mmCIF file of all heavy atoms in Angstrom:
data_model
loop_
_atom_site.group_PDB
_atom_site.id
_atom_site.type_symbol
_atom_site.label_atom_id
_atom_site.label_comp_id
_atom_site.label_asym_id
_atom_site.label_seq_id
_atom_site.Cartn_x
_atom_site.Cartn_y
_atom_site.Cartn_z
ATOM 1 N N GLY A 1 -4.718 -39.571 -6.049
ATOM 2 C CA GLY A 1 -4.089 -40.005 -7.294
ATOM 3 C C GLY A 1 -4.865 -39.540 -8.499
ATOM 4 O O GLY A 1 -5.851 -38.826 -8.383
ATOM 5 N N PRO A 2 -4.427 -39.956 -9.646
ATOM 6 C CA PRO A 2 -5.149 -39.564 -10.857
ATOM 7 C C PRO A 2 -6.554 -40.149 -10.928
ATOM 8 O O PRO A 2 -7.413 -39.597 -11.589
ATOM 9 C CB PRO A 2 -4.280 -40.077 -12.000
ATOM 10 C CG PRO A 2 -3.255 -40.947 -11.419
ATOM 11 C CD PRO A 2 -3.244 -40.747 -9.949
ATOM 12 N N VAL A 3 -6.800 -41.274 -10.243
ATOM 13 C CA VAL A 3 -8.165 -41.816 -10.220
ATOM 14 C C VAL A 3 -8.935 -41.000 -9.191
ATOM 15 O O VAL A 3 -8.874 -41.248 -7.996
ATOM 16 C CB VAL A 3 -8.180 -43.317 -9.850
ATOM 17 C CG1 VAL A 3 -9.614 -43.831 -9.799
ATOM 18 C CG2 VAL A 3 -7.359 -44.119 -10.836
ATOM 19 N N ALA A 4 -9.624 -39.954 -9.674
ATOM 20 C CA ALA A 4 -10.233 -38.980 -8.772
ATOM 21 C C ALA A 4 -11.750 -38.891 -8.905
ATOM 22 O O ALA A 4 -12.389 -38.267 -8.069
ATOM 23 C CB ALA A 4 -9.614 -37.611 -9.018
ATOM 24 N N TYR A 5 -12.315 -39.499 -9.938
ATOM 25 C CA TYR A 5 -13.741 -39.328 -10.211
ATOM 26 C C TYR A 5 -14.353 -40.629 -10.710
ATOM 27 O O TYR A 5 -13.659 -41.538 -11.170
ATOM 28 C CB TYR A 5 -13.957 -38.254 -11.287
ATOM 29 C CG TYR A 5 -13.437 -36.899 -10.908
ATOM 30 C CD1 TYR A 5 -12.148 -36.510 -11.235
ATOM 31 C CD2 TYR A 5 -14.247 -36.006 -10.214
ATOM 32 C CE1 TYR A 5 -11.664 -35.263 -10.885
ATOM 33 C CE2 TYR A 5 -13.775 -34.749 -9.865
ATOM 34 C CZ TYR A 5 -12.489 -34.386 -10.196
ATOM 35 O OH TYR A 5 -12.021 -33.154 -9.841
ATOM 36 N N LEU A 6 -15.662 -40.648 -10.668
ATOM 37 C CA LEU A 6 -16.461 -41.648 -11.369
ATOM 38 C C LEU A 6 -17.383 -40.876 -12.303
ATOM 39 O O LEU A 6 -17.867 -39.794 -11.955
ATOM 40 C CB LEU A 6 -17.301 -42.489 -10.402
ATOM 41 C CG LEU A 6 -16.533 -43.444 -9.490
ATOM 42 C CD1 LEU A 6 -17.503 -44.139 -8.523
ATOM 43 C CD2 LEU A 6 -15.770 -44.489 -10.297
ATOM 44 N N ALA A 7 -17.604 -41.429 -13.471
ATOM 45 C CA ALA A 7 -18.505 -40.795 -14.437
ATOM 46 C C ALA A 7 -19.578 -41.794 -14.830
ATOM 47 O O ALA A 7 -19.329 -43.000 -14.895
ATOM 48 C CB ALA A 7 -17.731 -40.347 -15.674
ATOM 49 N N SER A 8 -20.760 -41.280 -15.076
ATOM 50 C CA SER A 8 -21.831 -42.117 -15.589
ATOM 51 C C SER A 8 -21.710 -42.141 -17.106
ATOM 52 O O SER A 8 -21.744 -41.094 -17.758
ATOM 53 C CB SER A 8 -23.188 -41.531 -15.173
ATOM 54 O OG SER A 8 -24.222 -42.283 -15.752
ATOM 55 N N TRP A 9 -21.532 -43.357 -17.641
ATOM 56 C CA TRP A 9 -21.366 -43.492 -19.090
ATOM 57 C C TRP A 9 -22.013 -44.784 -19.546
ATOM 58 O O TRP A 9 -21.682 -45.871 -19.055
ATOM 59 C CB TRP A 9 -19.876 -43.478 -19.449
ATOM 60 C CG TRP A 9 -19.615 -43.512 -20.908
ATOM 61 C CD1 TRP A 9 -19.912 -42.553 -21.831
ATOM 62 C CD2 TRP A 9 -18.984 -44.564 -21.642
ATOM 63 N NE1 TRP A 9 -19.509 -42.933 -23.076
ATOM 64 C CE2 TRP A 9 -18.932 -44.168 -22.993
ATOM 65 C CE3 TRP A 9 -18.459 -45.801 -21.281
ATOM 66 C CZ2 TRP A 9 -18.384 -44.959 -23.989
ATOM 67 C CZ3 TRP A 9 -17.912 -46.588 -22.278
ATOM 68 C CH2 TRP A 9 -17.870 -46.170 -23.612
ATOM 69 N N ARG A 10 -22.963 -44.649 -20.457
ATOM 70 C CA ARG A 10 -23.676 -45.795 -21.033
ATOM 71 C C ARG A 10 -24.254 -46.717 -19.965
ATOM 72 O O ARG A 10 -24.129 -47.935 -20.027
ATOM 73 C CB ARG A 10 -22.780 -46.575 -21.992
ATOM 74 C CG ARG A 10 -22.394 -45.773 -23.200
ATOM 75 C CD ARG A 10 -21.656 -46.603 -24.214
ATOM 76 N NE ARG A 10 -21.356 -45.803 -25.383
ATOM 77 C CZ ARG A 10 -20.566 -46.188 -26.357
ATOM 78 N NH1 ARG A 10 -19.985 -47.371 -26.308
ATOM 79 N NH2 ARG A 10 -20.343 -45.405 -27.371
ATOM 80 N N GLY A 11 -24.822 -46.107 -18.929
ATOM 81 C CA GLY A 11 -25.522 -46.868 -17.908
ATOM 82 C C GLY A 11 -24.639 -47.532 -16.870
ATOM 83 O O GLY A 11 -25.099 -48.398 -16.132
ATOM 84 N N ARG A 12 -23.378 -47.174 -16.815
ATOM 85 C CA ARG A 12 -22.500 -47.753 -15.800
ATOM 86 C C ARG A 12 -21.543 -46.693 -15.300
ATOM 87 O O ARG A 12 -21.409 -45.623 -15.882
ATOM 88 C CB ARG A 12 -21.742 -48.950 -16.344
ATOM 89 C CG ARG A 12 -20.805 -48.645 -17.469
ATOM 90 C CD ARG A 12 -20.184 -49.931 -18.026
ATOM 91 N NE ARG A 12 -19.347 -49.672 -19.162
ATOM 92 C CZ ARG A 12 -18.042 -49.466 -19.085
ATOM 93 N NH1 ARG A 12 -17.430 -49.487 -17.942
ATOM 94 N NH2 ARG A 12 -17.335 -49.248 -20.167
ATOM 95 N N LEU A 13 -20.858 -47.012 -14.191
ATOM 96 C CA LEU A 13 -19.873 -46.095 -13.633
ATOM 97 C C LEU A 13 -18.527 -46.341 -14.298
ATOM 98 O O LEU A 13 -18.086 -47.482 -14.447
ATOM 99 C CB LEU A 13 -19.767 -46.272 -12.122
ATOM 100 C CG LEU A 13 -21.003 -45.849 -11.331
ATOM 101 C CD1 LEU A 13 -20.804 -46.119 -9.848
ATOM 102 C CD2 LEU A 13 -21.329 -44.387 -11.569
ATOM 103 N N LEU A 14 -17.882 -45.259 -14.670
ATOM 104 C CA LEU A 14 -16.613 -45.328 -15.382
ATOM 105 C C LEU A 14 -15.522 -44.679 -14.519
ATOM 106 O O LEU A 14 -15.655 -43.528 -14.099
ATOM 107 C CB LEU A 14 -16.742 -44.574 -16.708
ATOM 108 C CG LEU A 14 -15.545 -44.519 -17.638
ATOM 109 C CD1 LEU A 14 -15.275 -45.904 -18.214
ATOM 110 C CD2 LEU A 14 -15.819 -43.539 -18.770
ATOM 111 N N THR A 15 -14.470 -45.409 -14.222
ATOM 112 C CA THR A 15 -13.321 -44.845 -13.520
ATOM 113 C C THR A 15 -12.794 -43.689 -14.360
ATOM 114 O O THR A 15 -12.567 -43.839 -15.556
ATOM 115 C CB THR A 15 -12.214 -45.911 -13.344
ATOM 116 O OG1 THR A 15 -12.748 -47.006 -12.613
ATOM 117 C CG2 THR A 15 -11.013 -45.346 -12.638
ATOM 118 N N THR A 16 -12.609 -42.527 -13.716
ATOM 119 C CA THR A 16 -12.212 -41.335 -14.459
ATOM 120 C C THR A 16 -10.955 -40.715 -13.853
ATOM 121 O O THR A 16 -10.871 -40.522 -12.644
ATOM 122 C CB THR A 16 -13.371 -40.321 -14.481
ATOM 123 O OG1 THR A 16 -14.495 -40.958 -15.099
ATOM 124 C CG2 THR A 16 -13.022 -39.082 -15.269
ATOM 125 N N LEU A 17 -10.010 -40.409 -14.715
ATOM 126 C CA LEU A 17 -8.707 -39.884 -14.302
ATOM 127 C C LEU A 17 -8.646 -38.381 -14.505
ATOM 128 O O LEU A 17 -9.229 -37.846 -15.445
ATOM 129 C CB LEU A 17 -7.596 -40.520 -15.146
ATOM 130 C CG LEU A 17 -7.619 -42.031 -15.298
ATOM 131 C CD1 LEU A 17 -6.586 -42.462 -16.322
ATOM 132 C CD2 LEU A 17 -7.360 -42.689 -13.968
ATOM 133 N N ASP A 18 -7.893 -37.726 -13.641
ATOM 134 C CA ASP A 18 -7.560 -36.320 -13.819
ATOM 135 C C ASP A 18 -6.041 -36.225 -13.693
ATOM 136 O O ASP A 18 -5.491 -36.294 -12.597
ATOM 137 C CB ASP A 18 -8.258 -35.452 -12.769
ATOM 138 C CG ASP A 18 -8.092 -33.977 -13.058
ATOM 139 O OD1 ASP A 18 -7.378 -33.620 -14.026
ATOM 140 O OD2 ASP A 18 -8.673 -33.163 -12.313
ATOM 141 N N LEU A 19 -5.357 -36.100 -14.824
ATOM 142 C CA LEU A 19 -3.900 -36.064 -14.835
ATOM 143 C C LEU A 19 -3.336 -34.700 -14.456
ATOM 144 O O LEU A 19 -2.144 -34.576 -14.175
ATOM 145 C CB LEU A 19 -3.371 -36.443 -16.223
ATOM 146 C CG LEU A 19 -3.728 -37.823 -16.757
ATOM 147 C CD1 LEU A 19 -3.099 -38.029 -18.128
ATOM 148 C CD2 LEU A 19 -3.306 -38.910 -15.793
ATOM 149 N N ARG A 20 -4.168 -33.672 -14.441
ATOM 150 C CA ARG A 20 -3.668 -32.311 -14.226
ATOM 151 C C ARG A 20 -2.864 -32.174 -12.929
ATOM 152 O O ARG A 20 -1.757 -31.630 -12.967
ATOM 153 C CB ARG A 20 -4.821 -31.316 -14.314
ATOM 154 C CG ARG A 20 -5.399 -31.280 -15.737
ATOM 155 C CD ARG A 20 -6.645 -30.470 -15.836
ATOM 156 N NE ARG A 20 -7.728 -31.154 -15.122
ATOM 157 C CZ ARG A 20 -9.009 -30.850 -15.273
ATOM 158 N NH1 ARG A 20 -9.368 -29.896 -16.094
ATOM 159 N NH2 ARG A 20 -9.921 -31.508 -14.604
ATOM 160 N N PRO A 21 -3.344 -32.647 -11.774
ATOM 161 C CA PRO A 21 -2.529 -32.516 -10.560
ATOM 162 C C PRO A 21 -1.182 -33.249 -10.667
ATOM 163 O O PRO A 21 -0.156 -32.746 -10.214
ATOM 164 C CB PRO A 21 -3.399 -33.132 -9.462
ATOM 165 C CG PRO A 21 -4.789 -33.019 -9.973
ATOM 166 C CD PRO A 21 -4.677 -33.172 -11.463
ATOM 167 N N ARG A 22 -1.153 -34.425 -11.301
ATOM 168 C CA ARG A 22 0.103 -35.178 -11.453
ATOM 169 C C ARG A 22 1.076 -34.470 -12.388
ATOM 170 O O ARG A 22 2.283 -34.646 -12.291
ATOM 171 C CB ARG A 22 -0.162 -36.583 -12.030
ATOM 172 C CG ARG A 22 -0.971 -37.509 -11.182
ATOM 173 C CD ARG A 22 -0.225 -38.295 -10.134
ATOM 174 N NE ARG A 22 0.945 -39.047 -10.464
ATOM 175 C CZ ARG A 22 0.976 -40.341 -10.736
ATOM 176 N NH1 ARG A 22 -0.137 -41.048 -10.813
ATOM 177 N NH2 ARG A 22 2.119 -40.940 -10.952
ATOM 178 N N LEU A 23 0.520 -33.651 -13.305
ATOM 179 C CA LEU A 23 1.366 -32.921 -14.253
ATOM 180 C C LEU A 23 1.667 -31.506 -13.776
ATOM 181 O O LEU A 23 2.268 -30.713 -14.500
ATOM 182 C CB LEU A 23 0.688 -32.883 -15.634
ATOM 183 C CG LEU A 23 0.431 -34.240 -16.284
ATOM 184 C CD1 LEU A 23 -0.353 -34.082 -17.573
ATOM 185 C CD2 LEU A 23 1.740 -34.980 -16.520
ATOM 186 N N GLY A 24 1.211 -31.169 -12.556
ATOM 187 C CA GLY A 24 1.454 -29.836 -12.009
ATOM 188 C C GLY A 24 0.623 -28.758 -12.660
ATOM 189 O O GLY A 24 1.031 -27.604 -12.735
ATOM 190 N N LEU A 25 -0.556 -29.118 -13.161
ATOM 191 C CA LEU A 25 -1.429 -28.166 -13.851
ATOM 192 C C LEU A 25 -2.644 -27.850 -12.987
ATOM 193 O O LEU A 25 -3.112 -28.701 -12.230
ATOM 194 C CB LEU A 25 -1.906 -28.759 -15.184
ATOM 195 C CG LEU A 25 -0.825 -29.164 -16.188
ATOM 196 C CD1 LEU A 25 -1.443 -29.916 -17.347
ATOM 197 C CD2 LEU A 25 -0.078 -27.936 -16.682
ATOM 198 N N PRO A 26 -3.182 -26.635 -13.119
ATOM 199 C CA PRO A 26 -4.413 -26.322 -12.391
ATOM 200 C C PRO A 26 -5.565 -27.156 -12.941
ATOM 201 O O PRO A 26 -5.559 -27.567 -14.103
ATOM 202 C CB PRO A 26 -4.626 -24.833 -12.665
ATOM 203 C CG PRO A 26 -3.864 -24.546 -13.913
ATOM 204 C CD PRO A 26 -2.717 -25.529 -13.946
ATOM 205 N N ALA A 27 -6.552 -27.406 -12.096
ATOM 206 C CA ALA A 27 -7.684 -28.251 -12.494
ATOM 207 C C ALA A 27 -8.972 -27.426 -12.525
ATOM 208 O O ALA A 27 -9.724 -27.408 -11.563
ATOM 209 C CB ALA A 27 -7.822 -29.427 -11.533
ATOM 210 N N PRO A 28 -9.220 -26.722 -13.642
ATOM 211 C CA PRO A 28 -10.461 -25.959 -13.721
ATOM 212 C C PRO A 28 -11.666 -26.894 -13.762
ATOM 213 O O PRO A 28 -11.547 -28.064 -14.123
ATOM 214 C CB PRO A 28 -10.325 -25.184 -15.032
ATOM 215 C CG PRO A 28 -9.315 -25.916 -15.832
ATOM 216 C CD PRO A 28 -8.428 -26.634 -14.857
ATOM 217 N N ALA A 29 -12.805 -26.354 -13.335
ATOM 218 C CA ALA A 29 -14.030 -27.167 -13.363
ATOM 219 C C ALA A 29 -14.327 -27.564 -14.806
ATOM 220 O O ALA A 29 -14.326 -26.736 -15.702
ATOM 221 C CB ALA A 29 -15.189 -26.366 -12.786
ATOM 222 N N THR A 30 -14.542 -28.840 -15.018
ATOM 223 C CA THR A 30 -14.845 -29.341 -16.361
ATOM 224 C C THR A 30 -15.686 -30.593 -16.253
ATOM 225 O O THR A 30 -15.637 -31.306 -15.247
ATOM 226 C CB THR A 30 -13.557 -29.645 -17.154
ATOM 227 O OG1 THR A 30 -13.921 -30.088 -18.459
ATOM 228 C CG2 THR A 30 -12.740 -30.728 -16.487
ATOM 229 N N ARG A 31 -16.465 -30.847 -17.279
ATOM 230 C CA ARG A 31 -17.213 -32.101 -17.352
ATOM 231 C C ARG A 31 -16.989 -32.773 -18.697
ATOM 232 O O ARG A 31 -17.745 -33.620 -19.112
ATOM 233 C CB ARG A 31 -18.698 -31.829 -17.121
ATOM 234 C CG ARG A 31 -18.968 -31.332 -15.722
ATOM 235 C CD ARG A 31 -20.407 -31.214 -15.380
ATOM 236 N NE ARG A 31 -21.265 -31.021 -16.528
ATOM 237 C CZ ARG A 31 -22.578 -30.927 -16.444
ATOM 238 N NH1 ARG A 31 -23.174 -31.017 -15.297
ATOM 239 N NH2 ARG A 31 -23.305 -30.744 -17.514
ATOM 240 N N SER A 32 -15.922 -32.379 -19.379
ATOM 241 C CA SER A 32 -15.561 -33.009 -20.650
ATOM 242 C C SER A 32 -14.603 -34.154 -20.371
ATOM 243 O O SER A 32 -13.671 -34.008 -19.584
ATOM 244 C CB SER A 32 -14.875 -32.001 -21.572
ATOM 245 O OG SER A 32 -15.769 -30.984 -21.944
ATOM 246 N N LEU A 33 -14.854 -35.262 -21.016
ATOM 247 C CA LEU A 33 -13.929 -36.373 -20.841
ATOM 248 C C LEU A 33 -13.794 -37.177 -22.112
ATOM 249 O O LEU A 33 -14.662 -37.178 -22.972
ATOM 250 C CB LEU A 33 -14.308 -37.267 -19.659
ATOM 251 C CG LEU A 33 -15.588 -38.089 -19.701
ATOM 252 C CD1 LEU A 33 -15.304 -39.484 -20.220
ATOM 253 C CD2 LEU A 33 -16.145 -38.192 -18.298
ATOM 254 N N LEU A 34 -12.626 -37.807 -22.199
ATOM 255 C CA LEU A 34 -12.363 -38.762 -23.273
ATOM 256 C C LEU A 34 -12.505 -40.139 -22.664
ATOM 257 O O LEU A 34 -12.004 -40.385 -21.566
ATOM 258 C CB LEU A 34 -10.951 -38.592 -23.822
ATOM 259 C CG LEU A 34 -10.556 -37.220 -24.345
ATOM 260 C CD1 LEU A 34 -9.100 -37.237 -24.791
ATOM 261 C CD2 LEU A 34 -11.451 -36.799 -25.485
ATOM 262 N N VAL A 35 -13.178 -41.038 -23.360
ATOM 263 C CA VAL A 35 -13.263 -42.420 -22.909
ATOM 264 C C VAL A 35 -12.179 -43.177 -23.671
ATOM 265 O O VAL A 35 -12.193 -43.244 -24.901
ATOM 266 C CB VAL A 35 -14.660 -43.024 -23.162
ATOM 267 C CG1 VAL A 35 -14.701 -44.468 -22.701
ATOM 268 C CG2 VAL A 35 -15.734 -42.199 -22.462
ATOM 269 N N LEU A 36 -11.211 -43.695 -22.912
ATOM 270 C CA LEU A 36 -10.074 -44.403 -23.494
ATOM 271 C C LEU A 36 -10.300 -45.897 -23.373
ATOM 272 O O LEU A 36 -10.680 -46.385 -22.315
ATOM 273 C CB LEU A 36 -8.778 -44.021 -22.770
ATOM 274 C CG LEU A 36 -8.482 -42.526 -22.652
ATOM 275 C CD1 LEU A 36 -7.195 -42.313 -21.875
ATOM 276 C CD2 LEU A 36 -8.420 -41.859 -24.007
ATOM 277 N N GLY A 37 -10.042 -46.634 -24.441
ATOM 278 C CA GLY A 37 -10.219 -48.078 -24.434
ATOM 279 C C GLY A 37 -8.959 -48.791 -24.011
ATOM 280 O O GLY A 37 -7.856 -48.375 -24.337
ATOM 281 N N ALA A 38 -9.130 -49.861 -23.267
ATOM 282 C CA ALA A 38 -8.019 -50.713 -22.851
ATOM 283 C C ALA A 38 -8.513 -52.145 -22.853
ATOM 284 O O ALA A 38 -9.725 -52.389 -22.834
ATOM 285 C CB ALA A 38 -7.525 -50.330 -21.448
ATOM 286 N N THR A 39 -7.596 -53.085 -22.858
ATOM 287 C CA THR A 39 -8.008 -54.491 -22.878
ATOM 288 C C THR A 39 -8.786 -54.855 -21.616
ATOM 289 O O THR A 39 -9.631 -55.723 -21.634
ATOM 290 C CB THR A 39 -6.783 -55.422 -23.012
ATOM 291 O OG1 THR A 39 -5.851 -55.104 -21.981
ATOM 292 C CG2 THR A 39 -6.129 -55.249 -24.361
ATOM 293 N N ALA A 40 -8.512 -54.163 -20.506
ATOM 294 C CA ALA A 40 -9.214 -54.445 -19.252
ATOM 295 C C ALA A 40 -10.512 -53.656 -19.124
ATOM 296 O O ALA A 40 -11.192 -53.757 -18.124
ATOM 297 C CB ALA A 40 -8.296 -54.135 -18.073
ATOM 298 N N GLY A 41 -10.856 -52.852 -20.102
ATOM 299 C CA GLY A 41 -12.065 -52.033 -20.061
ATOM 300 C C GLY A 41 -11.739 -50.599 -20.423
ATOM 301 O O GLY A 41 -10.647 -50.287 -20.860
ATOM 302 N N GLU A 42 -12.700 -49.717 -20.231
ATOM 303 C CA GLU A 42 -12.496 -48.318 -20.549
ATOM 304 C C GLU A 42 -12.267 -47.508 -19.286
ATOM 305 O O GLU A 42 -12.717 -47.874 -18.214
ATOM 306 C CB GLU A 42 -13.726 -47.745 -21.283
ATOM 307 C CG GLU A 42 -13.942 -48.289 -22.665
ATOM 308 C CD GLU A 42 -14.875 -49.494 -22.690
ATOM 309 O OE1 GLU A 42 -15.568 -49.733 -21.686
ATOM 310 O OE2 GLU A 42 -14.883 -50.185 -23.703
#
């Protein structure tokens, strides 16, 4: 699924999504991410 990675951010593990496969896009190697805020966490 889109929940494909964990990232280290501010001393904790952050659930990390990769939407590219769900959108039919190739997934080049990358380490750039946006941290999105939600009421249940980031």
Side-chain angles (χ1 to χ4, degrees):
V3 178
Y5 299 92
L6 291 176
S8 176
W9 184 66
R10 295 187 178 170
R12 63 185 176 93
L13 293 178
L14 181 69
T15 301
T16 301
L17 312 171
D18 188 356
L19 300 181
R20 294 172 291 196
R22 296 275 309 264
L23 299 175
L25 302 171
T30 182
R31 295 187 335 178
S32 294
L33 67 94
L34 304 178
V35 179
L36 307 178
T39 54
E42 292 93 15

